[in-house]
PDB file of all heavy atoms in Angstrom:
ATOM      1  N   THR V1479      14.048  29.214   1.314  1.00 96.00           N
ATOM      2  CA  THR V1479      14.809  28.274   0.480  1.00 96.00           C
ATOM      3  C   THR V1479      14.517  28.553  -0.925  1.00 96.00           C
ATOM      4  O   THR V1479      13.386  28.817  -1.287  1.00 96.00           O
ATOM      5  CB  THR V1479      14.475  26.806   0.888  1.00 96.00           C
ATOM      6  OG1 THR V1479      14.726  26.567   2.290  1.00 96.00           O
ATOM      7  CG2 THR V1479      15.174  25.805   0.060  1.00 96.00           C
ATOM      8  N   VAL V1480      15.537  28.559  -1.756  1.00 95.00           N
ATOM      9  CA  VAL V1480      15.395  28.817  -3.137  1.00 95.00           C
ATOM     10  C   VAL V1480      15.505  27.547  -3.896  1.00 95.00           C
ATOM     11  O   VAL V1480      16.396  26.718  -3.692  1.00 95.00           O
ATOM     12  CB  VAL V1480      16.485  29.833  -3.649  1.00 95.00           C
ATOM     13  CG1 VAL V1480      16.394  30.063  -5.139  1.00 95.00           C
ATOM     14  CG2 VAL V1480      16.457  31.104  -2.941  1.00 95.00           C
ATOM     15  N   LEU V1481      14.505  27.327  -4.819  1.00 95.00           N
ATOM     16  CA  LEU V1481      14.527  26.256  -5.732  1.00 95.00           C
ATOM     17  C   LEU V1481      14.554  26.758  -7.163  1.00 95.00           C
ATOM     18  O   LEU V1481      13.775  27.643  -7.450  1.00 95.00           O
ATOM     19  CB  LEU V1481      13.300  25.362  -5.618  1.00 95.00           C
ATOM     20  CG  LEU V1481      13.192  24.572  -4.205  1.00 95.00           C
ATOM     21  CD1 LEU V1481      12.342  25.361  -3.311  1.00 95.00           C
ATOM     22  CD2 LEU V1481      12.747  23.157  -4.514  1.00 95.00           C
ATOM     23  N   GLU V1482      15.508  26.283  -7.923  1.00 94.00           N
ATOM     24  CA  GLU V1482      15.689  26.703  -9.313  1.00 94.00           C
ATOM     25  C   GLU V1482      15.330  25.508 -10.221  1.00 94.00           C
ATOM     26  O   GLU V1482      15.882  24.413  -9.947  1.00 94.00           O
ATOM     27  CB  GLU V1482      17.112  27.099  -9.632  1.00 94.00           C
ATOM     28  CG  GLU V1482      17.585  28.336  -8.957  1.00 94.00           C
ATOM     29  CD  GLU V1482      19.020  28.706  -9.403  1.00 94.00           C
ATOM     30  OE1 GLU V1482      19.531  28.226 -10.472  1.00 94.00           O
ATOM     31  OE2 GLU V1482      19.676  29.485  -8.644  1.00 94.00           O
ATOM     32  N   PHE V1483      14.385  25.750 -11.147  1.00 92.00           N
ATOM     33  CA  PHE V1483      14.047  24.721 -12.033  1.00 92.00           C
ATOM     34  C   PHE V1483      14.519  25.101 -13.395  1.00 92.00           C
ATOM     35  O   PHE V1483      13.930  26.101 -13.995  1.00 92.00           O
ATOM     36  CB  PHE V1483      12.529  24.465 -12.036  1.00 92.00           C
ATOM     37  CG  PHE V1483      12.086  24.055 -10.614  1.00 92.00           C
ATOM     38  CD1 PHE V1483      11.498  25.051  -9.746  1.00 92.00           C
ATOM     39  CD2 PHE V1483      12.155  22.818 -10.197  1.00 92.00           C
ATOM     40  CE1 PHE V1483      11.052  24.755  -8.508  1.00 92.00           C
ATOM     41  CE2 PHE V1483      11.668  22.432  -8.891  1.00 92.00           C
ATOM     42  CZ  PHE V1483      11.179  23.395  -8.068  1.00 92.00           C
ATOM     43  N   HIS V1484      15.401  24.308 -14.018  1.00 91.00           N
ATOM     44  CA  HIS V1484      15.969  24.636 -15.343  1.00 91.00           C
ATOM     45  C   HIS V1484      15.384  23.776 -16.446  1.00 91.00           C
ATOM     46  O   HIS V1484      15.430  22.481 -16.293  1.00 91.00           O
ATOM     47  CB  HIS V1484      17.517  24.483 -15.338  1.00 91.00           C
ATOM     48  CG  HIS V1484      18.149  25.436 -14.377  1.00 91.00           C
ATOM     49  ND1 HIS V1484      18.782  26.676 -14.835  1.00 91.00           N
ATOM     50  CD2 HIS V1484      18.347  25.401 -13.021  1.00 91.00           C
ATOM     51  CE1 HIS V1484      19.377  27.155 -13.738  1.00 91.00           C
ATOM     52  NE2 HIS V1484      19.037  26.467 -12.605  1.00 91.00           N
ATOM     53  N   ALA V1485      14.836  24.308 -17.430  1.00 86.00           N
ATOM     54  CA  ALA V1485      14.312  23.586 -18.598  1.00 86.00           C
ATOM     55  C   ALA V1485      14.712  24.337 -19.871  1.00 86.00           C
ATOM     56  O   ALA V1485      15.185  25.423 -19.802  1.00 86.00           O
ATOM     57  CB  ALA V1485      12.756  23.629 -18.461  1.00 86.00           C
ATOM     58  N   PRO V1486      14.529  23.601 -21.032  1.00 85.00           N
ATOM     59  CA  PRO V1486      14.904  24.258 -22.287  1.00 85.00           C
ATOM     60  C   PRO V1486      14.170  25.515 -22.508  1.00 85.00           C
ATOM     61  O   PRO V1486      14.712  26.474 -23.110  1.00 85.00           O
ATOM     62  CB  PRO V1486      14.511  23.210 -23.332  1.00 85.00           C
ATOM     63  CG  PRO V1486      14.550  21.903 -22.610  1.00 85.00           C
ATOM     64  CD  PRO V1486      14.184  22.210 -21.195  1.00 85.00           C
ATOM     65  N   GLU V1487      12.940  25.678 -22.017  1.00 79.00           N
ATOM     66  CA  GLU V1487      12.155  26.935 -22.206  1.00 79.00           C
ATOM     67  C   GLU V1487      12.681  28.073 -21.319  1.00 79.00           C
ATOM     68  O   GLU V1487      12.253  29.209 -21.550  1.00 79.00           O
ATOM     69  CB  GLU V1487      10.705  26.688 -21.885  1.00 79.00           C
ATOM     70  CG  GLU V1487      10.016  25.563 -22.679  1.00 79.00           C
ATOM     71  CD  GLU V1487      10.345  24.160 -22.180  1.00 79.00           C
ATOM     72  OE1 GLU V1487      10.763  23.989 -21.098  1.00 79.00           O
ATOM     73  OE2 GLU V1487      10.111  23.227 -22.976  1.00 79.00           O
ATOM     74  N   GLY V1488      13.405  27.794 -20.283  1.00 80.00           N
ATOM     75  CA  GLY V1488      13.897  28.820 -19.354  1.00 80.00           C
ATOM     76  C   GLY V1488      14.087  28.298 -17.952  1.00 80.00           C
ATOM     77  O   GLY V1488      13.941  27.064 -17.742  1.00 80.00           O
ATOM     78  N   THR V1489      14.320  29.207 -17.048  1.00 85.00           N
ATOM     79  CA  THR V1489      14.542  28.882 -15.668  1.00 85.00           C
ATOM     80  C   THR V1489      13.506  29.530 -14.784  1.00 85.00           C
ATOM     81  O   THR V1489      13.221  30.692 -14.956  1.00 85.00           O
ATOM     82  CB  THR V1489      15.931  29.368 -15.257  1.00 85.00           C
ATOM     83  OG1 THR V1489      16.912  28.627 -16.036  1.00 85.00           O
ATOM     84  CG2 THR V1489      16.253  29.008 -13.755  1.00 85.00           C
ATOM     85  N   ALA V1490      12.867  28.773 -13.923  1.00 86.00           N
ATOM     86  CA  ALA V1490      12.044  29.329 -12.891  1.00 86.00           C
ATOM     87  C   ALA V1490      12.737  29.262 -11.519  1.00 86.00           C
ATOM     88  O   ALA V1490      13.339  28.273 -11.178  1.00 86.00           O
ATOM     89  CB  ALA V1490      10.761  28.542 -12.801  1.00 86.00           C
ATOM     90  N   VAL V1491      12.743  30.389 -10.844  1.00 90.00           N
ATOM     91  CA  VAL V1491      13.308  30.465  -9.498  1.00 90.00           C
ATOM     92  C   VAL V1491      12.216  30.831  -8.550  1.00 90.00           C
ATOM     93  O   VAL V1491      11.494  31.777  -8.705  1.00 90.00           O
ATOM     94  CB  VAL V1491      14.431  31.520  -9.462  1.00 90.00           C
ATOM     95  CG1 VAL V1491      15.058  31.626  -8.114  1.00 90.00           C
ATOM     96  CG2 VAL V1491      15.563  31.211 -10.481  1.00 90.00           C
ATOM     97  N   VAL V1492      12.018  29.994  -7.521  1.00 91.00           N
ATOM     98  CA  VAL V1492      11.032  30.272  -6.534  1.00 91.00           C
ATOM     99  C   VAL V1492      11.603  30.204  -5.124  1.00 91.00           C
ATOM    100  O   VAL V1492      12.594  29.495  -4.841  1.00 91.00           O
ATOM    101  CB  VAL V1492       9.858  29.182  -6.614  1.00 91.00           C
ATOM    102  CG1 VAL V1492       9.088  29.355  -7.929  1.00 91.00           C
ATOM    103  CG2 VAL V1492      10.284  27.790  -6.416  1.00 91.00           C
ATOM    104  N   HIS V1493      11.005  31.010  -4.259  1.00 93.00           N
ATOM    105  CA  HIS V1493      11.310  31.059  -2.841  1.00 93.00           C
ATOM    106  C   HIS V1493      10.188  30.343  -2.063  1.00 93.00           C
ATOM    107  O   HIS V1493       9.017  30.589  -2.394  1.00 93.00           O
ATOM    108  CB  HIS V1493      11.482  32.406  -2.269  1.00 93.00           C
ATOM    109  CG  HIS V1493      12.694  33.172  -2.762  1.00 93.00           C
ATOM    110  ND1 HIS V1493      13.087  34.377  -2.201  1.00 93.00           N
ATOM    111  CD2 HIS V1493      13.624  32.863  -3.711  1.00 93.00           C
ATOM    112  CE1 HIS V1493      14.174  34.821  -2.778  1.00 93.00           C
ATOM    113  NE2 HIS V1493      14.505  33.932  -3.762  1.00 93.00           N
ATOM    114  N   VAL V1494      10.541  29.517  -1.128  1.00 94.00           N
ATOM    115  CA  VAL V1494       9.568  28.880  -0.215  1.00 94.00           C
ATOM    116  C   VAL V1494      10.040  29.089   1.175  1.00 94.00           C
ATOM    117  O   VAL V1494      11.234  29.213   1.444  1.00 94.00           O
ATOM    118  CB  VAL V1494       9.288  27.429  -0.565  1.00 94.00           C
ATOM    119  CG1 VAL V1494       8.734  27.239  -1.918  1.00 94.00           C
ATOM    120  CG2 VAL V1494      10.597  26.529  -0.472  1.00 94.00           C
ATOM    121  N   ARG V1495       9.124  29.060   2.094  1.00 95.00           N
ATOM    122  CA  ARG V1495       9.473  29.189   3.526  1.00 95.00           C
ATOM    123  C   ARG V1495      10.214  27.947   3.955  1.00 95.00           C
ATOM    124  O   ARG V1495       9.705  26.828   3.789  1.00 95.00           O
ATOM    125  CB  ARG V1495       8.242  29.379   4.374  1.00 95.00           C
ATOM    126  CG  ARG V1495       7.586  30.697   4.194  1.00 95.00           C
ATOM    127  CD  ARG V1495       6.518  30.884   5.193  1.00 95.00           C
ATOM    128  NE  ARG V1495       5.855  32.188   4.967  1.00 95.00           N
ATOM    129  CZ  ARG V1495       4.613  32.408   4.396  1.00 95.00           C
ATOM    130  NH1 ARG V1495       3.974  31.340   3.953  1.00 95.00           N
ATOM    131  NH2 ARG V1495       4.154  33.549   4.262  1.00 95.00           N
ATOM    132  N   SER V1496      11.405  28.126   4.514  1.00 97.00           N
ATOM    133  CA  SER V1496      12.225  26.996   4.958  1.00 97.00           C
ATOM    134  C   SER V1496      11.492  26.093   6.038  1.00 97.00           C
ATOM    135  O   SER V1496      11.537  24.885   6.086  1.00 97.00           O
ATOM    136  CB  SER V1496      13.508  27.452   5.512  1.00 97.00           C
ATOM    137  OG  SER V1496      14.307  28.051   4.487  1.00 97.00           O
ATOM    138  N   GLY V1497      10.641  26.845   6.893  1.00 96.00           N
ATOM    139  CA  GLY V1497       9.860  26.111   7.849  1.00 96.00           C
ATOM    140  C   GLY V1497       8.888  25.069   7.216  1.00 96.00           C
ATOM    141  O   GLY V1497       8.738  23.918   7.703  1.00 96.00           O
ATOM    142  N   GLU V1498       8.257  25.527   6.061  1.00 96.00           N
ATOM    143  CA  GLU V1498       7.354  24.587   5.402  1.00 96.00           C
ATOM    144  C   GLU V1498       8.164  23.418   4.860  1.00 96.00           C
ATOM    145  O   GLU V1498       7.632  22.256   4.876  1.00 96.00           O
ATOM    146  CB  GLU V1498       6.629  25.337   4.326  1.00 96.00           C
ATOM    147  CG  GLU V1498       5.592  26.401   4.799  1.00 96.00           C
ATOM    148  CD  GLU V1498       4.949  27.110   3.713  1.00 96.00           C
ATOM    149  OE1 GLU V1498       5.477  27.248   2.541  1.00 96.00           O
ATOM    150  OE2 GLU V1498       3.818  27.607   3.888  1.00 96.00           O
TER     151      GLU V1498
END
Side-chain angles (χ1 to χ4, degrees):
T1479 300
V1480 176
L1481 292 99
E1482 294 181 18
F1483 301 100
H1484 297 260
E1487 301 82 16
T1489 300
V1491 179
V1492 296
H1493 288 192
V1494 295
R1495 291 185 179 103
S1496 298
E1498 291 179 336

